[in-house]
Amino acid sequence: MSEAPVDPIDIQIAWVAQAGVESCLLRVPGGATLGQALVLARAQGLVPDEAIDQAATAVFGRTRGPGHRLADGDRIELTGPLRVDPKVARERRVAHRRAAEPRSRWRAQGR
């Protein structure tokens, strides 16, 4: 008993490059996994090797592993490491707002 051929599905792969966010479209066999899609994208030269090697993977912002089955229209996101600790980034934003607006909710009144 042979299985019927599976229709291919279209997915998108997005990653951060020096120029900003880049993406490409890729057609993979139906039932393909995230790992298989990345191997195919690398083989076709669509995604830089460093983007794949240094990245964690997500589908629509939710962390997924290489065994995750893809559906038509999925967007694989290759996320790199954090460049700044979120707590430090928030402290910098608050300090910047306090300096820009001397009388605001960011600065205690009467000081």
Side-chain angles (χ1 to χ4, degrees):
M1 187 186 227
S2 65
E3 293 183 24
V6 179
D7 291 332
I9 59 174
D10 295 318
I11 61 165
Q12 181 180 17
I13 302 176
W15 66 96
V16 177
Q18 288 182 347
V21 176
E22 303 234 354
S23 67
C24 68
L25 296 176
L26 181 65
R27 179 166 280 182
V28 297
T33 64
L34 191 148
Q36 292 168 335
L38 292 180
V39 168
L40 187 58
R42 177 180 271 168
Q44 293 182 9
L46 297 174
V47 179
D49 287 341
E50 59 273 4
I52 294 174
D53 294 339
Q54 299 175 2
T57 54
V59 176
F60 289 116
R62 296 193 181 257
T63 303
R64 299 288 185 242
H68 176 75
R69 293 251 180 244
L70 297 171
D72 192 38
D74 277 354
R75 182 184 68 234
I76 298 173
E77 299 156 0
L78 304 176
T79 58
L82 292 176
R83 295 183 183 161
V84 178
D85 179 13
K87 183 177 178 181
V88 172
R90 183 179 185 287
E91 290 170 353
R92 288 179 185 168
R93 285 193 308 271
V94 169
H96 178 74
R97 289 178 183 158
R98 283 183 178 158
E101 300 176 26
R103 298 229 178 238
S104 71
R105 65 183 177 147
W106 299 102
R107 184 179 300 270
Q109 299 296 322
R111 287 190 181 189

